[in-house]
Amino acid sequence: MTASRDSTITAPTQFLAVDSKRYAYRRFGAGAGLPLFCLQHFQGTLDYWDPAVVDPLAEGREVILFDKAGVGRSNGTVPGTIADMTAHAIAFLDGLRRQLSLKADRFSSGIANLGAWCVTAWAVNRCRCGSSFADRKIPT
């Protein structure tokens, strides 16, 4: 993995092309744990993540923040349904997997919790069942 010791704020924004979409994302942290794929609320961007929450999670694993389609620096149309939000998250993970042989945990807040559970259910071979703020536990 090419993750770094950067933080939520200092990690460079990267871009991943998948089909006709261009997803913005950041990767940082290192360790033996599976990467943690962070899903933001409906129109939240990767810049909305609080470093006080996310940076400690990167101490023992890689963290991946991303902008879903049409949000932040990603192009495309904003997903109109949870199913569409899930499809974009899975497409992004599949794009990273082609580059990195990646499997990940997932972490989310707000309405993204529904999409995160769908990602876990629909893409069980791509994403391990993780937790959300609503669960009050954080995978390590």
Side-chain angles (χ1 to χ4, degrees), residues 86-135:
T86 302
H88 285 291
I90 291 171
F92 174 80
L93 279 175
D94 282 348
L96 274 184
R97 281 184 50 184
R98 282 192 282 281
Q99 292 181 353
L100 310 170
S101 300
L102 177 72
K103 184 174 180 175
D105 286 332
R106 59 112 187 112
F107 184 62
S108 58
S109 67
I111 196 167
N113 287 336
L114 296 173
W117 285 113
C118 290
V119 167
T120 303
W122 297 353
V124 71
N125 63 330
R126 298 170 189 87
C127 188
R128 195 169 69 167
C129 183
S131 299
S132 66
F133 285 131
D135 297 329

Side-chain angles (χ1 to χ4, degrees), residues 19-130:
D19 299 324
S20 63
K21 307 293 182 285
R22 183 174 173 237
Y23 296 102
Y25 70 101
R26 288 190 194 126
R27 296 173 58 209
F28 58 96
L34 283 178
L36 185 63
F37 180 50
C38 299
L39 299 168
Q40 189 53 268
H41 60 82
F42 179 59
Q43 290 194 351
T45 70
L46 51 85
D47 294 320
Y48 279 42
W49 287 101
D50 185 344
V53 173
V54 180
D55 288 352
L57 297 172
E59 292 174 6
R61 65 179 354 154
E62 179 182 12
V63 170
I64 302 167
L65 311 176
F66 98 116
D67 286 341
K68 60 185 123 333
V71 176
R73 295 173 193 87
S74 294
N75 71 2
T77 303
V78 175
T81 66
I82 299 298
D84 290 343
M85 190 183 312
T86 302
H88 285 291
I90 291 171
F92 174 80
L93 279 175
D94 282 348
L96 274 184
R97 281 184 50 184
R98 282 192 282 281
Q99 292 181 353
L100 310 170
S101 300
L102 177 72
K103 184 174 180 175
D105 286 332
R106 59 112 187 112
F107 184 62
S108 58
S109 67
I111 196 167
N113 287 336
L114 296 173
W117 285 113
C118 290
V119 167
T120 303
W122 297 353
V124 71
N125 63 330
R126 298 170 189 87
C127 188
R128 195 169 69 167
C129 183

Side-chain angles (χ1 to χ4, degrees), residues 2-7 10 27-31 58-61:
T2 60
S4 70
R5 293 285 182 193
D6 284 322
S7 71
T10 63
R27 296 173 58 209
F28 58 96
E59 292 174 6
R61 65 179 354 154

